[in-house]
Amino acid sequence: MPGRGTQKVNKKALADFKVGVDNVIFSVDTQQNRLLVLLVMRQDQPFLGQWSLPGTLVRNGESLEDGAHRILAEKIRVNNLYLEQLYTFGGPSRDPRESPSSFGVRYLSVSYFALVRFEEAELIADGVSGIAWYPIKQVPKLAFDHNEILEYGYRRLRNKLEYSPVAFDVLPEVFTLSDLYQLYTTILGENFADYSNFRARLLKLGFLSDTGLKVSRGAGRPASLYRFDAEAFAPLKDKPLVFI
Amino acid sequence: MPGRGTQKVNKKALADFKVGVDNVIFSVDTQQNRLLVLLVMRQDQPFLGQWSLPGTLVRNGESLEDGAHRILAEKIRVNNLYLEQLYTFGGPSRDPRESPSSFGVRYLSVSYFALVRFEEAELIADGVSGIAWYPIKQVPKLAFDHNEILEYGYRRLRNKLEYSPVAFDVLPEVFTLSDLYQLYTTILGENFADYSNFRARLLKLGFLSDTGLKVSRGAGRPASLYRFDAEAFAPLKDKPLVFI
């Protein structure tokens, strides 16, 4: 019964969109061995008061990346933030504002991804909105389809850890092989690989250089401190490689 | 001098978008050892008469994937087309229709990627538009930023060849190791790897099974025919792996 409570939609007409950018920003608290994701509390409808990924809608003349950087600059101070595009979510009715009784416009989300160093990232509390580094295991039900976007980002993170030297972006300048293993374990879960295999594999790849320094922690033998040798890694950059 | 030939744009206002989907469909002519990409000739302004990736604008109630499949169904018949999202291009002024003197609406492109089996793909000539499998090396200047999208898709293809068993989606059911090497060479270029290393590596991965059959081509010794053993590959599916 057309016309009764439903609005007739021309199926062949082009859809009109607003475009959002949503950021999946990860960090690792290497002291506590926790993987964290940056969440903000929504100050507007819909989903007022619910946690969400930090995002915004793209403005006139603004590129997608510029929009993503604009909103992040309001939430977090961090050096050299490198955002990587993750995925675009654009199915109909992913946003309640799309309903014909609301704005009748589609909302598409282009998501971005970054991994930042915990010690160097400073959250900006603006006195109004809530903001938090949430441990990944304790993330609540998020606004919109943000749990799905987060899950996609988490998969990308694990993938990057396996295929790229992204771990060295978040470790301190010098680290022990045990620190490195711990970081992998924090993100990939226990038993992703045996420690001695992991250690042998990473050393064999040839871009960890021994600083000659050692560090004592607790009871064990002093452990060697390594650093990531970007120069030794350079020729491997475009080669297929697995890290674990 | 504001107001003189320029239109004042509210920089804080949200941009309005139409959303396009553009498909980078690759195939490999294994007879001629050519990597091909599907192009269509534009029948509308802008870029009337220029080659472009097959794309369309998303309609009311249609998901991005549905839009991508809809336009492809008009251009090509192929079994089980699996489209993978590639990247979203959304910078301002990527489309001449965005100009304030035209529609003043932004055009965003979500690109999709597929690799299809040449023998099974049938182009649909509708009597109006041009359509062609273009050898990648002979692709002309395309409409919009489609050369850039194609380049991105080509990088993804090379990447997938290195890290995933995508090659077996386009090879015939049974093939020689030399056929497989030739396919890699066609896409990655000459000398991506030494043949005997490549051969040893692929056999060691353990999912190529010798059919016991041999084939004679030209003068050399008969070569063994292999097939991809999906069952043997299954446990490796989510493991980091390099194929070359």
Side-chain angles (χ1 to χ4, degrees), chain B residues 109-151:
Chain B
S109 165
V110 183
S111 52
Y112 286 84
F113 164 95
L115 180 59
V116 303
R117 195 168 267 158
F118 188 55
E119 292 74 14
E120 290 175 5
E122 185 189 344
L123 302 192
I124 303 169
D126 60 6
V128 180
S129 21
I131 183 166
W133 280 121
Y134 246 93
I136 193 91
K137 288 176 183 159
Q138 286 152 47
V139 167
K141 173 89 187 68
L142 303 177
F144 307 104
D145 51 0
H146 287 191
N147 288 94
E148 193 188 340
I149 298 176
L150 170 57
E151 182 52 43

Side-chain angles (χ1 to χ4, degrees), chain A residues 176-186 190-196 198-199:
Chain A
T176 67
L177 289 174
S178 162
D179 293 339
L180 181 60
Y181 182 69
Q182 185 58 61
L183 176 72
Y184 269 77
T185 303
T186 299
E190 298 291 339
N191 308 321
F192 75 92
D194 172 75
Y195 176 63
S196 62
F198 176 79
R199 182 191 147 92

Side-chain angles (χ1 to χ4, degrees), chain A residues 16 18 62 85 88 106, chain B residues 16 18 62 85 88 106:
Chain A
D16 292 309
K18 302 290 184 190
E62 187 175 57
Q85 198 184 94
T88 296
R106 297 265 293 272
Chain B
D16 292 309
K18 302 289 184 192
E62 188 176 56
Q85 198 184 95
T88 295
R106 297 265 292 272

Side-chain angles (χ1 to χ4, degrees), chain A residues 9-11 13-19 57-63 85 87-88 92 106 163 240-242 244, chain B residues 9-11 13-19 57-63 85 87-88 92 106 163 240-242 244:
Chain A
V9 172
N10 180 349
K11 284 282 188 186
L14 299 181
D16 292 309
F17 286 87
K18 302 290 184 190
V19 172
L57 292 167
V58 175
R59 296 176 176 172
N60 280 332
E62 187 175 57
S63 72
Q85 198 184 94
Y87 199 79
T88 296
R106 297 265 293 272
Y163 290 111
L241 207 63
V242 291
I244 62 169
Chain B
V9 173
N10 179 350
K11 284 283 188 185
L14 299 181
D16 292 309
F17 286 87
K18 302 289 184 192
V19 172
L57 292 165
V58 175
R59 296 175 177 172
N60 280 331
E62 188 176 56
S63 72
Q85 198 184 95
Y87 198 79
T88 295
R106 297 265 292 272
Y163 290 112
L241 206 64
V242 291
I244 62 169

Side-chain angles (χ1 to χ4, degrees), chain B residues 73-123:
Chain B
E74 295 173 9
K75 306 293 181 190
I76 188 172
R77 277 186 208 96
V78 62
N79 296 330
N80 308 319
L81 182 63
Y82 171 70
L83 290 173
E84 172 179 320
Q85 198 184 95
L86 194 56
Y87 198 79
T88 295
F89 295 80
S93 63
R94 57 171 294 280
D95 189 309
R97 290 170 294 189
E98 291 179 13
S99 82
S101 60
S102 184
F103 300 104
V105 167
R106 297 265 292 272
Y107 284 76
L108 177 143
S109 165
V110 183
S111 52
Y112 286 84
F113 164 95
L115 180 59
V116 303
R117 195 168 267 158
F118 188 55
E119 292 74 14
E120 290 175 5
E122 185 189 344
L123 302 192

